[in-house]
Amino acid sequence: METTKILVGYAIYLPIALFLTYYVSKTLFANGKIYMLDIFRGREEIADATNKLFETGFYLLNLGFALMILRITEDINNYQTLIEALSYKIGSFSIYLGLMLFLNLYFFFRGKRKAREAQQEDRLVLKI
């Protein structure tokens, strides 16, 4: 009976992990395009390509991590234990996704700051 409960756990965990990854990715990179356009001074092709590369890397890292932590090691004797194991797994993965979201935002803001600094340097060179 334990194997059946573990398979039920996998059947619950995987769709949730996939949905969370998809939702966070779509939200982040739909809004991240604005930052990319600013960083690349309105050059839409480069901004789109870079944003797509970031999105692909985001999917690979997060789906890889979700699959790495898939294994349920607890003795699943009843559904209470299963729900507790799933809540820990899904909660851990949600925290990880949040950290990845903030890491990507950091890169967006850092890129924007670097673009602004380069733009100011260009203005100084033009004045001289």
Side-chain angles (χ1 to χ4, degrees):
M1 192 71 147
E2 182 180 317
T3 303
T4 303
K5 287 185 179 77
I6 289 175
L7 291 176
V8 168
Y10 293 157
I12 293 169
Y13 169 76
L14 280 173
I16 291 172
L18 292 173
F19 173 76
L20 285 173
T21 302
Y22 174 79
Y23 178 75
V24 171
S25 175
K26 287 302 170 195
T27 302
L28 176 64
F29 293 104
N31 295 308
K33 183 178 178 182
I34 296 166
Y35 291 101
M36 289 295 181
L37 284 169
D38 189 38
I39 291 167
F40 293 108
R41 299 178 187 174
R43 296 184 296 183
E44 194 164 349
E45 287 180 1
I46 294 173
D48 284 341
T50 305
N51 200 38
K52 196 66 176 167
L53 289 171
F54 266 103
E55 184 177 11
T56 302
F58 186 84
Y59 276 123
L60 289 172
L61 283 171
N62 294 313
L63 292 176
F65 186 73
L67 292 172
M68 262 180 42
I69 65 169
L70 175 67
R71 185 173 180 195
I72 296 176
T73 56
E74 295 86 359
D75 287 332
I76 307 297
N77 299 327
N78 55 43
Y79 286 106
Q80 177 186 351
T81 310
L82 175 62
I83 291 170
E84 290 169 356
L86 284 174
S87 69
Y88 182 80
K89 246 184 216 326
I90 293 168
S92 299
F93 186 66
S94 296
I95 291 169
Y96 168 79
L97 273 177
L99 292 173
M100 291 302 292
L101 172 76
F102 286 120
L103 180 65
N104 275 284
L105 286 174
Y106 167 77
F107 286 133
F108 286 148
F109 286 127
R110 183 174 176 209
K112 187 174 179 172
R113 188 183 79 231
K114 293 285 186 185
R116 190 180 321 118
E117 289 171 0
Q119 193 174 26
Q120 289 173 348
E121 288 175 9
D122 289 348
R123 287 180 186 159
L124 288 174
V125 169
L126 290 175
K127 285 183 180 181
I128 296 177

